[in-house]
Amino acid sequence: MIVSIAAAVCSFVVSALTATLIHDHEVSNIRDEQARSVRRSGFVLSKGFKPPRPLGLEAYPQQIVDDSGKVVTATPGELNRGPITQWRPSGIDEMAEIEICDSPEYPGECLLVTALSVRQPDGRGLTLYSYAKAPPPWVSDRFALLAGLISLGLVATVGLLTWLGVRRTLLPVEAIRREMAEITSHDLARRVPEQPRDDEISNLARTVNATLNRLEELVTQQRRLASDASHDLRSPLTGMRTELEMGLISSEETDWPDTARRVLAGIERLQEIVGDLLLLAKMDSGRRGDLKPLDLSALARSEIDRVQRRFPPQAALEPGVRVMGDRLRLARLLSNLLDNAERHARSAVWVLLRADPDLRQVFMEVRDDGGGIPEDKREEVFRRFTRLDSSRSRDAGGSGLGLAIAREIAETHGGTLVAADTEVGARLLLCLPLLSVEDPGTSDFSDTGPESGGPDPSAPSGTAMAARLGQPSGTGQPSTTPGPDAQRALALPQFVGYFSDGSSGMRIHMAT
């Protein structure tokens, strides 16, 4: 419709311009012929003679009027008319042109008049008028009819071609619509047809298919989550039911306080799983939390000291490292990393925190000396309800959501969480955007145990800890031999750069 209207407007404009040009050309021809006629007759009259030929032979009617306004002679058929106009040129031998409308002699019509004033040898003044009907703006009725027919034909042709072109162009869109209408939540593997072109409709088809891919992944993830959650929720429920049924079978011999403790442990496990699911649901909804500037060093120290752990973490924390984050969620992230390290450690857990002002990044490592994570499982451990076979056999306490929650919290803060290379145990590396370092001049980092505010006598020194974390030996035993004059430099390994390798994410190269 819009194209047809535009074509009609364009056709009207073209017809109007064409009519104007033809009209101007016709008027110009009339004026030229009138000018030749009056000059020819005026020259003869100025010499005192009659016109060289009867006025009736001229192309357009003429009148000769004297100074008193009397018609001296005129073209046959015009003698009975009065003067065509009272207007005359202002000077002798001056020719002028005028258009008059609705004159007494020609009411309701417009005339193109060319006049020339002459004076005969006897002093008599005469004015010659040549006049013709002014052509209409559309030049002629025939031209108007022709222009109208051409305009209508042009509009009809453009409208038809536009309809055919749009229909042909929108056929792929119709195919996309039909395919989308047939896709249901039970058949998300279907895709809309893509055209082997690089245009807007092909881009639309590719975008729709990309959206369907993401939707299929989300639905698959949701189904897997529901299945895994059902399995993990059923296990503690089954255990609690078994405990209670066994107690009821031999109620007199049952140690009910002990049974209650075991049931309570199952309830706590259920509560942990439900809490993790609720937190994941909040993060999936896009809530970023209450982001405020906070001291990550103090937060890490608080989390390390908050719980009495089986293997107290040995910490090397650069003081005053500030990030923009949600305190509760970052605390949950650190708690999950520490719980995971403690769950799999054989004898020790280490935590390092370092800021790199040049890269505007904060790096935190949580290491343990356990069995480690196989290289081909480093991404799998961050999936929801994923627990490696070794962890399932050794530990029944993990929900399989801790590392998934930790990574999502890191990503909502603009950071990353990956399992990095290490020779001993597992090495989880957290990277967050750096806000500031409040006290960059502080010399040594804290290297203390979790129970007292001061150094732990059983913990390795800052030098030994840096060597253990930075350069573990092939036997799995930490090297404690620092280089010369390196006592202060080895307070914490220096992060000197990072890159993305596409598989394990960020890797931090450390040099002592």
Side-chain angles (χ1 to χ4, degrees):
M1 178 62 72
I2 296 177
V3 176
S4 299
I5 294 175
V9 172
C10 292
S11 176
F12 173 79
V13 172
V14 171
S15 299
L17 290 176
T18 303
T20 300
L21 292 176
I22 295 177
H23 176 270
D24 293 344
H25 180 71
E26 183 70 15
V27 170
S28 178
N29 288 338
I30 293 174
R31 293 293 191 187
D32 291 344
E33 181 60 30
Q34 288 177 335
R36 286 193 296 269
S37 176
V38 297
R39 284 191 183 279
R40 185 168 51 245
S41 300
F43 176 78
V44 174
L45 291 173
S46 66
K47 301 300 182 182
F49 302 102
K50 293 182 178 181
R53 56 180 177 172
L55 297 181
L57 299 178
E58 298 294 342
Y60 300 106
Q62 288 188 356
Q63 278 186 348
I64 299 177
V65 182
D66 61 15
D67 290 342
S68 64
K70 179 182 178 181
V71 178
V72 176
T73 184
T75 300
E78 301 292 322
L79 289 172
N80 296 327
R81 296 181 184 274
I84 194 67
T85 179
Q86 297 298 323
W87 167 86
R88 64 185 62 195
S90 58
I92 301 300
D93 293 331
E94 180 179 343
M95 187 171 63
E97 298 173 347
I98 191 175
E99 182 175 352
I100 59 175
C101 295
D102 202 21
S103 67
E105 299 298 330
Y106 288 91
E109 295 184 3
C110 291
L111 301 177
L112 298 177
V113 181
T114 300
L116 175 66
S117 295
V118 298
R119 189 170 297 279
Q120 291 186 311
D122 59 1
R124 185 184 184 188
L126 299 174
T127 301
L128 285 79
Y129 294 99
S130 178
Y131 50 94
K133 291 183 179 180
W138 55 87
V139 181
S140 67
D141 293 340
R142 180 179 297 177
F143 175 79
L145 178 61
L146 180 62
L149 292 175
I150 292 176
S151 299
L152 290 176
L154 180 62
V155 171
T157 302
V158 171
L160 178 61
L161 293 177
T162 302
W163 180 78
L164 292 175
V166 171
R167 185 172 182 273
R168 179 181 178 84
T169 301
L170 294 181
L171 284 177
V173 178
E174 176 62 19
I176 293 174
R177 187 201 65 79
R178 288 197 304 267
E179 190 67 22
M180 289 292 293
E182 296 177 3
I183 294 176
T184 65
S185 60
H186 302 289
D187 191 18
L188 290 176
R190 299 179 63 170
R191 296 294 179 266
V192 301
E194 296 184 12
Q195 300 295 324
R197 300 193 302 266
D198 188 15
D199 55 18
E200 288 76 6
I201 295 180
S202 300
N203 293 336
L204 172 63
R206 285 190 284 270
T207 302
V208 169
N209 283 336
T211 303
L212 290 174
N213 289 336
R214 293 193 295 270
L215 181 61
E216 183 181 16
E217 292 176 1
L218 289 174
V219 171
T220 301
Q221 180 180 353
Q222 184 181 29
R223 290 171 178 169
R224 184 171 59 244
L225 177 64
S227 175
D228 292 340
S230 300
H231 178 273
D232 280 66
L233 290 172
R234 184 175 58 186
S235 297
L237 287 174
T238 301
M240 289 187 291
R241 178 170 181 167
T242 301
E243 290 287 346
L244 294 176
E245 288 178 347
M246 293 297 294
L248 291 175
I249 291 175
S250 53
S251 58
E252 296 180 357
E253 301 176 0
T254 300
D255 185 352
W256 287 108
D258 184 61
T259 300
R261 283 190 292 271
R262 289 195 293 270
V263 172
L264 183 60
I267 294 175
E268 291 175 351
R269 178 170 171 76
L270 284 176
Q271 185 177 8
E272 177 186 354
I273 295 174
V274 172
D276 288 346
L277 290 173
L278 179 61
L279 179 58
L280 284 173
K282 290 181 179 179
M283 289 190 292
D284 287 342
S285 67
R287 302 180 191 174
R288 297 188 59 188
D290 186 15
L291 301 183
K292 294 180 180 179
L294 58 88
D295 189 332
L296 186 60
S297 306
L299 181 62
R301 171 54 60 195
S302 174
E303 283 301 311
I304 291 173
D305 295 345
R306 184 176 60 86
V307 179
Q308 181 69 34
R309 298 184 180 274
R310 183 166 55 100
F311 302 118
Q314 305 300 311
L317 309 176
E318 180 176 354
V321 176
R322 296 179 64 80
V323 298
M324 183 69 71
D326 184 303
R327 176 175 294 273
L328 294 179
R329 290 193 178 182
L330 287 179
R332 181 60 180 273
L333 185 155
L334 298 175
S335 176
N336 286 2
L337 294 182
L338 292 172
D339 290 344
N340 180 79
E342 181 184 25
R343 186 175 298 118
H344 300 286
R346 291 191 179 96
S347 61
V349 174
W350 301 277
V351 181
L352 292 92
L353 176 64
R354 175 76 177 187
D356 190 324
D358 294 333
L359 298 177
R360 302 298 302 169
Q361 292 285 315
V362 176
F363 304 107
M364 173 177 283
E365 287 192 24
V366 178
R367 290 194 180 189
D368 63 70
D369 60 351
I373 304 173
E375 187 172 357
D376 59 340
K377 302 290 186 181
R378 289 181 181 175
E379 280 301 308
E380 184 179 344
V381 295
F382 292 103
R383 295 175 184 169
R384 299 176 182 183
F385 289 106
T386 295
R387 287 174 292 183
L388 302 183
D389 293 339
S390 59
S391 65
R392 284 186 179 272
S393 61
R394 292 174 49 227
D395 169 56
S399 66
L401 294 173
L403 293 183
I405 291 174
R407 170 171 275 189
E408 294 210 18
I409 294 175
E411 291 177 350
T412 59
H413 285 74
T416 59
L417 177 64
V418 297
D421 291 334
T422 183
E423 296 183 16
V424 177
R427 176 190 177 199
L428 298 180
L429 177 61
L430 170 67
C431 302
L432 294 174
L434 173 65
L435 184 62
S436 66
V437 180
E438 285 192 342
D439 189 11
T442 304
S443 57
D444 293 332
F445 302 152
S446 60
D447 184 10
T448 61
E451 297 181 8
S452 65
D456 185 350
S458 63
S461 64
T463 298
M465 186 174 182
R468 293 176 69 176
L469 292 170
Q471 301 292 338
S473 65
T475 60
Q477 298 301 321
S479 171
T480 59
T481 305
D485 302 324
Q487 294 295 324
R488 291 176 60 83
L490 288 179
L492 188 71
Q494 303 295 311
F495 296 87
V496 297
Y498 70 98
F499 65 94
S500 175
D501 63 1
S503 60
S504 60
M506 293 288 191
R507 291 188 179 182
I508 304 302
H509 300 281
M510 306 173 65
T512 57

